[in-house]
């Protein structure tokens, strides 16, 4: 699993002296305290509570608390048991057999069986933005008995064993979803699951309450009695809540990056970097290739020439990120290409390209006016957008920024296609086939399905290379496929990768064992416990 070891960012000066690592808490020998309430704070409200049709971060953050997966993973992405207790892969890679946990029940009392597994995977292939690619080679799922699920593949899928985390591949109850419209099913907002928590209520615009599942299969977990999930789009509010104890836990760097050094001096707060191994991400500028302005590659090339990533790293991320010119995150070391973009920072080249494209400067110095969209889940989206607006003003492109909540953004961009270009950030996950292919594979252009091929990028050669990597069992050949893919995409510029952020968890010192697995806070939080409040 050397390919998937945790990324070392080279930012040690920023983190020097931080002794407490939340992700290491699983090594504690202290007996967990039972009882109490944990409050998790998010920067945006989820649009649903089950991640069957979205990869939006707020949804993934809450989904696994009720709706579990077959497996979870250690920090090196080695599989660990969850709803499956053991598994075998045939030597030819064409059959995966999962043996399921006995005695597990849904929170409505119905038994969990292999039929739920088969139903869930087939459902996700239709509704989930990434599952169509992830499970493309899964031809059928046999259920010879209630505790055995056998995946039969048409071709090998060397990444597949790492695809079964709860947030990525949730297992849902067939008896709730069968013969319904899954996207409108009430379970998405009032979930029934197998997880450590039972959904209690959702006060829209404010918070969600989960209670301890007294019948959870992994007793004596969970240790806390209640999990509250709050949301605030204001980083100042999130910071104050964490400092005053109104919130106990925040992940994916829940405060303004400019505040981190000050907060690291607070004695009641601890900072952690584990639990992000499953979702290395890349923030990028994405073009709508159907737009009359951005269908011209010269305009996209000009914009690429106008972006100074070294400046962006300082201004937007305060150094807490790794700049990247490739769509595959540096964290996926074996697959990431360090080949520079053919469009390096060069304002003269940018101006020349815009002249050639017919966009001459007017008397006001403006060549053209465009609108840049961004959503509000992550504070860096707005800062990236502001940086891009400033950068493009230097080459005569006037940019109007347009922000919206995640649901509105997703509908505008993926359903109505009513955008010119956008700032967004996508998880590469544990493998490029799962996290990257969806954005560039022409067969994954699915209007109405969020977080798919946002640019409407079509390149038959890219399709061929990505599909080859999907089934290639030879590790070196697969790496070569992805390097070729990156070279082509960097030339075509359907998007402009900017940076891969360093995510940080902030917690009150009374919080323990919050991130024992690769998906961290996005896991089921069954192990977390809190010291009693004084």
């Amino acid at each position: 699993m050397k390919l998937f070891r945790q990324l070392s960012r080279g930012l040690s000066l920023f983190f020097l002296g931080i002794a407490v690592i939340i992700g290491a808490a699983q090594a504690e020998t202290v007996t967990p305290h039972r009882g109490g309430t944990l409050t998790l704070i998010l920067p945006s409200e989820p649009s649903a509570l089950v991640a069957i049709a979205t990869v939006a971060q707020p949804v993934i953050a809450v989904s696994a608390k009720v709706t579990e997966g077959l497996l979870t993973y250690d920090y090196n992405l080695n599989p660990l048991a969850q709803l499956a207790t053991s598994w075998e892969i045939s030597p030819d890679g064409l059959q995966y057999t999962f043996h399921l946990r006995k005695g597990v029940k849904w929170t409505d009392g119905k038994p969990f069986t292999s039929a739920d597994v088969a139903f869930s995977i087939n459902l996700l292939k239709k509704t989930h933005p990434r599952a169509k690619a992830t499970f493309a080679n899964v031809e059928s799922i046999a259920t010879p008995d209630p505790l055995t699920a056998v995946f039969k593949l048409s071709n090998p899928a060397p990444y597949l064993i790492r695809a079964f985390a709860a947030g990525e591949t949730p297992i849902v109850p067939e008896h709730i979803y069968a013969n319904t419209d899954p996207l409108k099913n009430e379970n998405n907002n009032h979930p029934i699951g197998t997880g450590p928590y039972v959904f209690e209520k959702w006060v829209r615009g404010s918070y969600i309450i989960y209670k301890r599942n007294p019948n959870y299969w992994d007793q004596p977990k969970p240790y806390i009695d209640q999990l509250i999930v709050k949301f605030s789009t204001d980083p100042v509010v999130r910071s104050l809540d964490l400092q005053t104890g109104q919130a106990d836990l925040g992940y994916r760097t829940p405060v303004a990056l400019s505040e981190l050094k000050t907060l690291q001096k607070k004695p009641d707060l601890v900072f952690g970097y584990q639990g992000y191994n499953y979702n290395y991400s890349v923030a990028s500028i994405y073009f709508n290739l159907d737009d009359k302005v951005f269908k011209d590659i010269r305009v996209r090339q000009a914009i690429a020439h106008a972006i100074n990533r070294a400046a962006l790293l300082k201004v937007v991320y305060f150094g807490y990120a790794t700049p990247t010119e490739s769509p595959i995150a540096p964290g996926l070391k074996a697959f990431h290409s360090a080949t520079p973009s053919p469009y390096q920072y060069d304002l003269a080249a940018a101006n020349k390209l815009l002249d050639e494209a017919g966009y001459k400067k007017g008397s006001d110095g403006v060549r053209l006016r465009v609108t840049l969209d961004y959503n509000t889940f992550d504070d860096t989206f707005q800062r990236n957008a502001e940086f891009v607006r400033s950068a493009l003003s230097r080459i005569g492109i006037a940019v109007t920024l347009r922000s919206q909540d995640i649901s509105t953004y997703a509908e505008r961009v993926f359903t109505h296609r009513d955008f010119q270009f956008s700032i967004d950030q996508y998880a590469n996950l544990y493998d490029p086939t799962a996290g990257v292919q969806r954005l560039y594979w022409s067969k994954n252009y699915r209007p109405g399905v969020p977080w798919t091929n946002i640019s409407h990028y079509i390149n038959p050669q890219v399709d061929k290379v990505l599909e080859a990597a999907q089934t290639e069992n030879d590790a070196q050949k697969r790496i070569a496929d992805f390097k070729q893919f990156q070279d082509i995409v960097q030339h075509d510029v359907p998007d402009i990768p900017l940076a891969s952020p360093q995510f940080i968890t902030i917690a009150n010192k009374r919080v323990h064992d919050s991130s024992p697995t690769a998906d961290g806070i996005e896991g089921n939080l069954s192990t977390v416990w809190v010291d009693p409040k004084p």
Side-chain angles (χ1 to χ4, degrees):
M1 302 302 295
K2 291 181 180 178
L3 303 182
F4 302 98
R5 294 191 187 280
Q6 186 189 20
L7 172 63
S8 174
R9 298 281 187 184
L11 297 172
S12 58
L13 290 178
F14 285 102
F15 308 127
L16 188 63
I18 299 172
V20 182
I21 304 297
I22 293 173
Q26 78 273 21
E28 293 185 21
T29 58
V30 178
T31 301
H33 176 267
R34 292 185 63 82
T37 295
L38 175 78
T39 300
L40 169 67
I41 193 163
L42 301 179
S44 185
E45 183 170 14
S47 57
L49 305 186
V50 183
I52 63 166
T54 181
V55 292
Q57 223 65 50
V59 181
I60 294 177
V62 298
S63 181
K65 283 44 178 185
V66 174
T67 308
E68 295 182 298
L70 288 179
L71 303 174
T72 185
Y73 301 87
D74 68 17
Y75 295 149
N76 293 323
L77 297 185
N78 297 307
L80 305 171
Q82 196 162 93
L83 289 177
T85 57
S86 62
W87 48 93
E88 300 97 42
I89 304 172
S90 63
D92 61 6
L94 297 179
Q95 182 167 297
Y96 287 60
T97 302
F98 291 95
H99 303 283
L100 307 182
R101 193 174 296 279
K102 297 179 181 178
V104 177
K105 292 187 177 181
W106 298 100
T107 46
D108 64 357
K110 301 285 187 182
F112 158 72
T113 73
S114 57
D116 297 308
V117 174
F119 177 84
S120 297
I121 300 303
N122 289 324
L123 172 64
L124 292 168
K125 288 174 72 174
K126 298 174 183 176
T127 61
H128 192 275
R130 294 193 278 248
K132 183 175 182 179
T134 301
F135 297 104
N137 296 327
V138 177
E139 283 193 323
S140 64
I141 303 174
T143 54
D145 62 64
L147 295 178
T148 307
V150 182
F151 288 55
K152 298 181 179 181
L153 281 62
S154 57
N155 291 288
Y159 53 88
L160 193 62
I161 194 60
R162 293 182 291 277
F164 295 100
E168 181 66 14
T169 304
I171 303 301
V172 299
E174 180 185 21
H175 66 279
I176 297 296
Y177 279 95
N179 302 316
T180 72
D181 181 342
L183 302 183
K184 296 180 180 179
N185 193 295
E186 179 56 26
N187 193 75
N188 298 331
N189 299 321
H190 196 299
I192 291 168
T194 61
Y197 302 100
V198 178
F199 171 77
E200 179 80 6
K201 68 176 178 179
W202 182 359
V203 178
R204 301 281 179 158
S206 187
Y207 60 87
I208 305 164
I209 295 180
Y210 298 92
K211 299 290 187 180
R212 182 180 186 275
N213 180 358
N215 302 311
Y216 186 47
W217 55 264
D218 194 12
Q219 293 293 320
K221 302 170 188 173
Y223 300 112
I224 59 173
D225 293 330
Q226 182 173 250
L227 170 65
I228 297 175
V229 181
K230 295 172 60 175
F231 6 93
S232 172
T233 58
D234 189 340
V236 175
V237 171
R238 297 195 298 272
S239 177
L240 288 173
D241 277 1
L242 287 164
Q243 292 180 68
T244 60
Q246 297 300 305
D248 301 301
L249 185 63
Y251 87 123
R252 291 175 65 92
T253 319
V255 301
L257 294 176
S258 58
E259 259 200 290
L260 277 174
K261 286 187 176 180
T262 299
L263 291 179
Q264 285 165 2
K265 300 174 184 177
K266 302 290 183 181
D268 289 335
L269 297 179
V270 291
F271 297 78
Y273 308 96
Q274 294 281 29
Y276 298 106
N277 319 54
Y278 201 77
N279 59 4
Y280 296 118
S281 299
V282 173
S284 302
I285 302 169
Y286 290 93
F287 298 106
N288 182 351
L289 300 184
D290 297 321
D291 180 78
K292 64 181 181 180
V293 172
F294 293 121
K295 66 173 53 177
D296 189 332
I297 191 173
R298 294 170 296 185
V299 177
R300 306 197 303 272
Q301 291 169 336
I303 291 177
H305 278 305
I307 302 300
N308 184 338
R309 287 178 181 80
L312 179 139
L313 185 67
K314 295 178 182 179
V315 173
V316 175
Y317 291 99
F318 294 83
Y320 294 96
T322 300
T324 180
E325 299 175 23
S326 164
I328 297 181
L332 296 177
K333 293 181 180 179
F335 300 113
H336 172 75
S337 173
T339 302
S341 164
Y343 315 113
Q344 293 296 299
Y345 180 59
D346 185 338
L347 295 184
N351 280 303
K352 183 174 184 294
L353 282 162
L354 290 173
D355 284 339
E356 291 172 358
Y359 294 104
K360 306 294 184 180
K361 285 187 177 180
S363 58
D364 57 358
V366 174
R367 298 175 182 274
L368 62 107
R369 300 180 185 277
V370 291
T371 298
L372 176 61
D373 284 281
Y374 65 94
N375 69 42
T376 54
F377 171 70
D378 190 308
D379 302 324
T380 60
F381 291 6
Q382 179 177 347
R383 293 200 299 275
N384 269 321
E386 291 169 347
F387 181 90
V388 170
R389 176 176 61 185
S390 176
L392 298 194
S393 70
R394 295 184 177 92
I395 57 172
I397 299 178
V399 177
T400 297
L401 301 185
R402 181 166 57 191
S403 68
Q404 51 251 289
D405 60 54
I406 291 178
S407 296
T408 304
Y409 171 84
E411 185 175 12
R412 175 187 296 282
V413 171
F414 293 97
T415 299
H416 302 306
R417 305 289 299 166
D418 178 24
F419 79 107
Q420 291 187 283
F421 66 148
S422 75
I423 295 289
D424 217 328
Q425 182 173 289
Y426 289 87
N428 282 193
L429 295 175
Y430 50 86
D431 188 276
T433 293
V436 179
Q437 176 169 326
R438 61 189 165 122
L439 300 172
Y440 303 93
W441 191 30
S442 68
K443 297 175 185 176
N444 208 40
Y445 174 67
R446 293 186 281 166
V449 180
W451 329 120
T452 49
N453 184 340
I454 180 173
S455 296
H456 196 188
Y457 177 60
I458 301 172
N459 185 320
Q461 187 180 6
V462 165
D463 286 350
K464 182 179 179 181
V465 172
L466 290 174
E467 288 164 7
Q470 255 183 330
T471 60
E472 180 56 69
N473 268 334
D474 185 301
Q476 293 307 311
K477 289 182 180 179
R478 198 159 181 264
I479 289 170
D481 285 337
F482 282 120
K483 294 290 177 68
Q484 183 183 1
F485 152 74
Q486 289 167 92
D487 288 343
I488 298 169
V489 168
Q490 283 181 307
H491 178 270
D492 288 354
V493 278
D495 52 39
I496 302 172
L498 301 173
S500 182
Q502 165 73 64
F503 294 130
I504 301 171
T505 298
I506 303 178
N508 191 285
K509 67 180 181 181
R510 63 191 288 265
V511 177
H512 306 268
D513 292 358
S514 66
S515 300
T517 53
D519 50 358
I521 309 303
E522 293 175 359
N524 65 12
L525 282 183
S526 66
T527 61
V528 74
W529 59 281
V530 294
D531 292 326
K533 285 189 175 181

